[in-house]
Amino acid sequence: MYRKRNNSLALQLGLLFVSIWFGGKIFGFLGGITSFFNKFPSFLHGMVGAAILWFVMRKCHLDGYVDKKSISTISSLALDICVTSAVATLNLKIVSTYWLPIVAYTAIMIVLNIVICFVLGRHWIKKDWFETMLIIFGQALGSSTTGLALGRCVDPETKTSAYDSFGVSAGVMGPVASLMVAVLPMLAMQSDLLVIGIGTAVVVVGFLIGEFALRKK
């Protein structure tokens, strides 16, 4: 009968806060052991904490207290706040000074990501490919927040597997991307060819994974 009483917004908000706090403690502990874990994006803290909390609640038969609709509503509100904050903190002076290279870079990245997300992505992803790749498209052209905002436009009630897929990909690629951001600028000062070689290798490996591991049967 407890499944009919899971309508407390405060309870759902508390579960989210516990997940974020627990995930933060885990990454803080691991980061104290090795700085590698400090490179993970912070939004993974809540995801890891939520996964562990959900596992424990299911084992204890308390999962009925989780109201997915309320969780989705809270997440949508938090996403709106995050997107608004990101737009409001743009440095307009930098944009106005370097508008030409920004426009050129943006045009090139849009074309490349359209091909990767909506041509190769459709070729590789088995389920909910459009919603999933739209999130990846937004992330590639802006940030994870941008991607999630686009995902919300096409899947406002989180009925697809796009968010789960994005969470898995972020967990796998987050450390790799963070490491590349930290290392590649230093390597670029030594040799442009080395950076180009690493970038080419990453593209080739990603393509092979898509063709032989993810390709739709």
Side-chain angles (χ1 to χ4, degrees):
M1 296 298 292
Y2 64 85
R3 292 181 180 273
K4 298 181 179 180
R5 300 198 300 269
N6 56 358
N7 58 354
S8 172
L9 187 62
L11 175 61
Q12 309 309 313
L13 187 60
L15 292 173
L16 288 175
F17 283 154
V18 169
S19 299
I20 296 171
W21 175 84
F22 189 44
K25 290 295 182 180
I26 292 175
F27 277 89
F29 173 76
L30 296 175
I33 299 175
T34 171
S35 60
F36 172 75
F37 289 96
N38 293 327
K39 300 181 183 296
F40 283 77
S42 58
F43 70 85
L44 282 179
H45 298 181
M47 295 178 63
V48 172
I52 297 175
L53 181 63
W54 177 246
F55 175 79
V56 173
M57 292 185 71
R58 290 193 64 182
K59 289 297 182 180
C60 297
H61 304 290
L62 298 174
D63 53 297
Y65 285 103
V66 177
D67 183 5
K68 294 184 178 180
K69 186 174 182 180
S70 296
I71 294 291
S72 178
T73 300
I74 296 172
S75 300
S76 298
L77 174 61
L79 181 60
D80 287 341
I81 295 173
C82 191
V83 171
T84 303
S85 301
V87 173
T89 54
L90 283 175
N91 192 325
L92 298 181
K93 184 177 180 180
I94 293 179
V95 175
S96 62
T97 302
Y98 300 101
W99 69 270
L100 184 57
I102 290 175
V103 170
Y105 176 81
T106 301
I108 294 172
M109 292 304 296
I110 288 175
V111 173
L112 288 176
N113 279 287
I114 287 176
V115 173
I116 293 171
C117 293
F118 302 117
V119 178
L120 295 179
R122 184 177 184 178
H123 182 62
W124 290 334
I125 303 300
K126 298 179 181 179
K127 182 180 179 182
D128 302 324
W129 77 269
F130 181 74
E131 293 83 359
T132 302
M133 297 314 300
L134 193 62
I135 296 178
I136 300 298
F137 180 77
Q139 182 192 38
L141 295 182
S143 63
S144 299
T145 303
T146 306
L148 292 172
L150 287 178
R152 185 188 171 195
C153 293
V154 295
D155 184 21
E157 299 181 3
T158 63
K159 292 183 178 181
T160 70
S161 61
Y163 297 97
D164 295 332
S165 300
F166 175 72
V168 172
S169 68
V172 173
M173 295 304 300
V176 177
S178 299
L179 183 62
M180 291 180 67
V181 169
V183 173
L184 289 185
M186 294 184 292
L187 295 179
M189 298 177 65
Q190 305 296 325
S191 171
D192 293 338
L193 293 178
L194 182 59
V195 175
I196 294 174
I198 294 175
T200 302
V202 171
V203 171
V204 171
V205 170
F207 182 82
L208 293 176
I209 291 175
E211 281 295 307
F212 297 102
L214 301 178
R215 185 177 180 180
K216 293 187 291 187
K217 304 299 183 183

